[in-house]
Amino acid sequence: GAVVSQHPSWVICKSGTSVKIECRSLDFQATTMFWYRQFPKQSLMLMATSNEGSKATYEQGVEKDKFLINHASLTLSTLTVTSAHPEDSSFYICSARIIRQSSYNEQFFGPGTRLTVL
Amino acid sequence: AQSVSQHNHHVILSEAASLELGCNYSYGGTVNLFWYVQYPGQHLQLLLKYFSGDPLVKGIKGFEAEFIKSKFSFNLRKPSVQWSDTAEYFCAVNQDTDKLIFGTGTRLQVFP
């Protein structure tokens, strides 16, 4: 199956700093990647849709200036949490969509990144 | 508001017991339905999906789900669970686009 990686797997940072999380599709090209956020014992909430070569589409209530998304290549999307605060602490998960001509465009998920802001 | 509900938050079973996890959605119109599984320390994996046709869908590892349109439900079942089925299970829905809306998840613990 298709593999998606995320780096780092966990990060601890001080309040006010920025953190960059990478999402890579290792063995396929993905024109579209998705970024999710998961709070403890809660569901995955879609934050934004990342499109290669164009601006990301953010879900309602997600600050685009706070969560910067860059999808510069067909295998890499990055999420930068700018001026992080403790309330940004969460589990961030990305997925990459694989295009199939005759069937569902399945999403493959990365292992997630645990962000802790002190 | 459109939503996906999983009423079983935590299920504990012994091996060989039967499993049924509930999933209800509140979308109108045509929907695509999914069950994902997340084993401890691993990423989300697709168990099965329903787009159209036979409402009884068979997935990997002996799991199946039944779409009941009149009840807006897509419950996941397995006749006999194994210890290795211990994981978090998520129901998800999408409509027309690839955006997935997830339920809150059900944690399944299977004891030998």
Side-chain angles (χ1 to χ4, degrees):
Chain A
V3 179
V4 177
S5 70
Q6 281 185 243
H7 178 80
S9 54
W10 58 270
V11 57
I12 301 173
C13 68
K14 292 182 179 180
S15 185
T17 60
S18 294
V19 174
K20 180 185 283 188
I21 302 170
E22 293 185 349
C23 176
R24 292 182 186 272
S25 55
L26 297 185
D27 49 3
F28 65 100
Q29 293 183 329
T31 55
T32 302
M33 294 184 176
F34 300 89
W35 286 96
Y36 297 84
R37 183 174 179 177
Q38 186 180 26
F39 292 101
K41 298 185 179 181
Q42 293 190 30
S43 179
L44 282 78
M45 301 297 295
L46 179 64
M47 297 174 65
T49 303
S50 171
N51 301 298
E52 187 268 336
S54 65
K55 291 183 179 180
T57 305
Y58 291 82
E59 294 301 301
Q60 192 172 11
V62 178
E63 299 175 60
K64 61 181 180 181
D65 295 328
K66 173 78 172 176
F67 299 99
L68 300 178
I69 291 172
N70 185 283
H71 194 155
S73 79
L74 289 172
T75 59
L76 173 64
S77 175
T78 60
L79 169 69
T80 302
V81 183
T82 62
S83 186
H85 290 284
E87 58 265 29
D88 298 323
S89 298
S90 191
F91 195 54
Y92 293 88
I93 302 173
C94 75
S95 71
R97 188 183 71 179
I98 194 166
I99 302 294
R100 295 194 175 107
Q101 292 192 350
S102 59
S103 65
Y104 167 63
N105 298 332
E106 185 171 344
Q107 290 184 37
F108 292 88
F109 287 81
T113 297
R114 172 79 57 197
L115 170 63
T116 301
V117 184
L118 302 177
Chain B
Q2 297 170 328
S3 66
V4 179
S5 299
Q6 291 180 245
H7 302 295
N8 314 105
H9 298 294
H10 190 188
V11 173
I12 302 174
L13 294 172
S14 298
E15 275 193 320
S18 64
L19 170 72
E20 181 160 1
L21 301 182
C23 173
N24 290 88
Y25 63 93
S26 62
Y27 294 80
T30 303
V31 294
N32 302 315
L33 299 153
F34 309 84
W35 275 97
Y36 284 86
V37 60
Q38 187 173 30
Y39 297 104
Q42 296 189 30
H43 55 275
L44 277 166
Q45 300 173 45
L46 182 65
L47 263 182
L48 48 80
K49 60 184 183 287
Y50 172 80
F51 288 168
S52 63
D54 189 343
L56 185 61
V57 180
K58 294 193 183 299
I60 60 172
K61 305 189 180 187
F63 286 92
E64 64 178 31
E66 185 175 11
F67 170 53
I68 303 179
K69 189 174 181 179
S70 61
K71 294 185 178 180
F72 297 89
S73 70
F74 189 56
N75 291 357
L76 180 71
R77 299 195 292 250
K78 185 169 183 177
S80 176
V81 294
Q82 300 172 322
W83 176 79
S84 58
D85 293 324
T86 295
E88 188 98 20
Y89 292 81
F90 293 92
C91 180
V93 174
N94 75 7
Q95 279 186 309
D96 300 327
T97 71
D98 290 327
K99 292 201 295 187
L100 289 168
I101 307 300
F102 284 88
T104 51
T106 297
R107 183 181 175 207
L108 172 65
Q109 280 184 295
V110 180
F111 288 96

